[in-house]
């Protein structure tokens, strides 16, 4: 015991402050939001710009390169990542929205190239069918977010409002209502940016941004 005590006393002690500074920080847990949110935002911005008239009304496919290659595929990658790390709810949401964006692209391409044999008189109702179907799914997802921080619920409510506006604008042939829907799309894209900054902050060793308390506990 005397030998062990002497050996311990002969080792110089490093002050606790220096020990804390020298210790590397533990890496943050893998977060598929870092891919999923930017993928969602870029497609939303592209679609919003189309709806508000940034490009001519005849250029309905202007956003498709972004929506297919970045948003649809990016969300699929994020969904696979989320599933791999056991985040089933995140994986489900990203996979569903990948389906939304890819099906939107397929709808636009199919109608403009007559892939589905739908004549011009049924084109508006076909778009209405698409929008109503996704209104149901997004409404379901909105209710499912009530146990999450309120920022996520706000995001889904804005998506639902945008879908309603685009549906009404499409059925009524109103460019003004479609334009309002486009601005709502840009607003929910901004919410997505805020959520990304929160994830990026935690991924780089900081604190999450305030996201608000859940509506339902």
């Amino acid at each position: 015991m005397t030998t062990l005590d002497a050996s311990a006393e002969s080792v110089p002690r490093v002050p606790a402050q220096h020990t804390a500074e020298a210790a590397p920080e533990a890496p943050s847990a893998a977060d598929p939001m870092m891919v999923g949110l930017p993928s969602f935002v870029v497609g939303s911005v592209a679609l919003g710009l189309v709806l508000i008239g940034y490009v001519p009304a005849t250029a309905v496919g202007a956003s498709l390169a972004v929506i297919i290659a970045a948003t649809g595929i990016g969300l699929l990658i994020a969904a696979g990542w989320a599933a791999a790390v056991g985040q089933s709810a995140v994986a489900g949401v990203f996979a569903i929205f990948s389906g939304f964006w890819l099906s939107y692209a397929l709808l636009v391409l199919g109608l403009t190239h007559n892939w589905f044999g739908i004549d011009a008189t049924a084109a508006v109702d076909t778009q209405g069918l698409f929008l109503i179907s996704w209104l149901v799914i997004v409404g379901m997802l909105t209710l499912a977010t009530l146990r999450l921080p309120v920022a996520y619920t706000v995001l889904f409510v804005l998506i639902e409002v945008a879908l309603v506006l685009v549906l009404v604008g499409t059925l009524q042939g109103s460019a003004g209502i479609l334009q309002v829907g486009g601005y709502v799309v840009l607003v929910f894209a901004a919410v997505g940016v805020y959520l990304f900054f929160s994830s990026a902050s935690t991924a780089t060793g900081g604190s999450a941004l305030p996201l608000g308390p859940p509506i339902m506990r």
Side-chain angles (χ1 to χ4, degrees):
M1 290 297 295
T2 304
T3 305
L4 290 175
D5 291 342
S7 300
E9 291 175 358
S10 64
V11 176
R13 295 184 178 181
V14 180
Q17 177 182 353
H18 295 285
T19 304
E21 291 176 354
E25 294 183 1
S28 302
D31 186 1
M33 293 284 193
M34 295 298 295
V35 170
L37 287 171
S39 300
F40 176 82
V41 168
V42 70
S44 301
V45 171
L47 177 60
L49 290 174
V50 169
L51 291 172
I52 67 174
Y54 177 77
V55 294
T58 53
V60 292
S63 62
L64 295 188
V66 172
I67 286 173
I68 295 171
T71 303
I73 295 175
L75 287 172
L76 276 180
I77 293 171
W81 181 0
V85 296
Q87 297 181 16
S88 57
V90 175
V93 170
F94 282 154
I96 289 168
F97 273 104
S98 176
F100 168 78
W101 291 106
L102 292 175
S103 63
Y104 168 77
L106 186 59
L107 174 71
V108 173
L109 290 171
L111 289 178
T112 55
H113 292 83
N114 196 28
W115 289 349
F116 307 131
I118 299 169
D119 59 35
T121 59
V124 171
D125 289 336
T126 300
Q127 295 172 68
L129 180 152
F130 173 87
L131 292 165
I132 292 169
S133 299
W134 281 106
L135 268 169
V136 172
I137 297 302
V138 174
M140 176 187 73
L141 292 175
T142 302
L143 294 176
T145 64
L146 296 180
R147 295 173 62 87
L148 297 176
V150 72
Y152 292 98
T153 305
V154 169
L155 174 65
F156 282 93
V157 168
L158 288 170
I159 296 171
E160 189 84 341
V161 170
L163 286 171
V164 169
L165 289 169
V166 174
L167 173 63
V168 174
T170 299
L171 296 180
Q172 294 186 359
S174 171
I177 296 177
L178 288 173
Q179 189 175 49
V180 174
Y183 285 116
V184 176
V185 171
L186 294 176
V187 171
F188 72 62
V191 176
V193 170
Y194 182 83
L195 293 173
F196 172 76
F197 283 157
S198 180
S199 294
S201 179
T202 57
T204 54
S207 301
L209 301 181
L211 301 179
I215 295 174
M216 182 184 297
R217 296 184 181 277

